[in-house]
């Protein structure tokens, strides 16, 4: 039995993955330039010349393995096979299955999210009783899938984890709410709505939770302006980042 914790095992498993050849990386489209995709004086990371390329959206090859690696079929294969067996619409519901750094992610079409989550929760061989919340992600260059909602799921019964990734276009930022299945998602969905603008249809009271009700925009989107609001601290007024002294 290994004495390493799951995070260490995942790190080592990721190190054993084959690296992309240089010619393969060059062919991939550029997702963003710089460390954070910021233009102008906002990026102070020192990685302004970094080129981040968009990996192709494909499923991981079989066997999926488990948190400790993918050399042989493991618990990730069991989860995927069980869900496929129990869910008649599996082929339409799950766009792709990705294993990366010891984590299993199911990319689910939004119209099938409730159906997939219900099966994961109720099936005795799955029993993902807990949804640990939902996080928003914004990919401005991912046309048609700019906004993502990511759900970490935990099975206490089987001591397993899986992650659901659901995308929607910026022009139609609607995803079904999971509050009916997982009541603790109430505030998490409100926070994701507040910061990213994802509308969770069916939420009992989808209002802002962090920003004032009259706040304009969603501050954690990548295209949200960096700075722009003076900050006062004990009588001293600090200008926003886009007005501060530049060192370039």
């Amino acid at each position: 039995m290994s004495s390493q914790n799951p995070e260490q095992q995942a790190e080592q498993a990721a190190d054993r993955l084959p690296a992309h050849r240089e010619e393969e990386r060059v062919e991939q489209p550029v997702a963003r330039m710089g460390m954070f995709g910021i233009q102008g004086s906002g990026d102070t990371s020192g990685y302004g010349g970094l080129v981040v390329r968009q990996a192709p959206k494909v499923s991981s090859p079989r066997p999926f393995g488990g948190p400790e690696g993918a050399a042989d079929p493991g618990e990730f294969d069991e989860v995927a096979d069980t869900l496929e067996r129990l869910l008649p619409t599996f082929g339409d519901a799950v766009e792709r299955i990705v294993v990366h750094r010891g984590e299993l992610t199911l990319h689910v079409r939004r119209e099938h999210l409730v159906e997939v989550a219900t099966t994961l929760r109720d099936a005795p061989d799955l029993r993902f009783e807990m949804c640990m919340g939902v996080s928003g992600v914004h990919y401005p260059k991912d046309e048609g899938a700019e906004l993502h909602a990511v759900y970490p799921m935990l099975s206490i019964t089987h001591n397993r984890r899986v992650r659901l990734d659901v995308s929607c276009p910026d022009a139609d930022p609607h995803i079904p709410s999971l509050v009916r299945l997982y009541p603790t998602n109430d505030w998490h969905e409100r926070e994701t709505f507040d910061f990213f603008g994802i509308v969770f249809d069916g939420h009992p009271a989808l209002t802002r939770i962090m920003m004032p009700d009259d706040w304009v925009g969603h501050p954690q989107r990548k295209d949200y302006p960096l700075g722009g609001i003076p900050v006062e601290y004990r009588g001293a007024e600090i200008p926003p980042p886009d007005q501060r002294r530049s060192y370039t």
Side-chain angles (χ1 to χ4, degrees):
M1 182 176 179
S2 174
S3 61
Q4 294 178 321
N5 61 42
E7 288 79 8
Q8 290 174 319
Q9 294 176 359
E11 290 286 346
Q12 292 192 1
D15 291 340
R16 293 194 292 269
L17 293 175
H20 290 290
R21 298 193 302 272
E22 179 63 28
E23 55 270 22
E24 292 177 338
R25 290 197 298 269
V26 170
E27 292 177 357
Q28 295 172 358
V30 175
R32 69 177 189 271
M33 303 289 292
M35 188 67 168
F36 305 106
I38 302 297
Q39 297 179 353
S41 62
D43 188 352
T44 59
S45 65
Y47 289 89
L50 182 66
V51 178
V52 179
R53 297 187 176 275
Q54 179 66 55
K57 294 183 178 181
V58 296
S59 292
S60 297
R62 292 272 193 167
F64 298 138
E68 67 282 347
D72 300 301
E75 66 178 62
F76 291 166
D77 296 87
E78 294 176 14
V79 170
D81 292 342
T82 302
L83 183 61
E84 184 174 11
R85 173 171 52 85
L86 296 176
L87 192 66
T89 59
F90 181 87
D92 295 327
V94 179
E95 296 180 289
R96 55 197 175 100
I97 301 175
V98 177
V99 177
H100 182 64
R101 305 194 75 83
E103 295 180 322
L104 174 67
T105 301
L106 304 177
H107 290 260
V108 179
R109 290 186 172 88
R110 58 178 171 172
E111 58 268 25
H112 294 279
L113 172 61
V114 174
E115 182 184 15
V116 171
T118 301
T119 305
L120 288 172
R121 186 193 67 173
D122 295 345
D125 292 338
L126 295 171
R127 292 297 290 146
F128 285 90
E129 307 98 331
M130 296 188 67
C131 180
M132 310 303 290
V134 56
S135 300
V137 190
H138 185 210
Y139 299 101
K141 303 295 185 181
D142 191 2
E143 186 175 354
E146 292 88 353
L147 295 169
H148 289 240
V150 181
Y151 304 83
M153 316 291 283
L154 170 64
S155 170
I156 299 176
T157 300
H158 301 292
N159 190 26
R160 291 176 173 174
R161 295 178 183 268
V162 66
R163 183 167 53 188
L164 305 182
D165 188 316
V166 184
S167 65
C168 62
D170 194 5
D172 182 27
H174 289 263
I175 290 176
S177 171
L178 291 186
V179 171
R180 179 173 60 85
L181 296 174
Y182 298 101
T184 54
N185 264 30
D186 189 338
W187 286 11
H188 294 282
E189 290 184 4
R190 285 180 60 193
E191 182 181 44
T192 304
F193 161 72
D194 193 353
F195 285 155
F196 290 90
I198 298 175
V199 179
F200 293 94
D201 296 328
H203 189 283
L206 193 62
T207 57
R208 289 190 181 272
I209 191 173
M210 303 294 287
M211 309 304 293
D213 289 339
D214 59 351
W215 191 269
V216 178
H218 304 283
Q220 287 193 351
R221 288 197 183 194
K222 297 289 181 63
D223 55 4
Y224 193 81
L226 193 64
I229 301 176
V231 179
E232 294 186 4
Y233 179 71
R234 292 186 181 179
E237 185 173 307
I238 302 175
D242 57 352
Q243 297 178 16
R244 296 177 193 172
R245 180 171 50 187
S246 175
Y247 293 95
T248 58

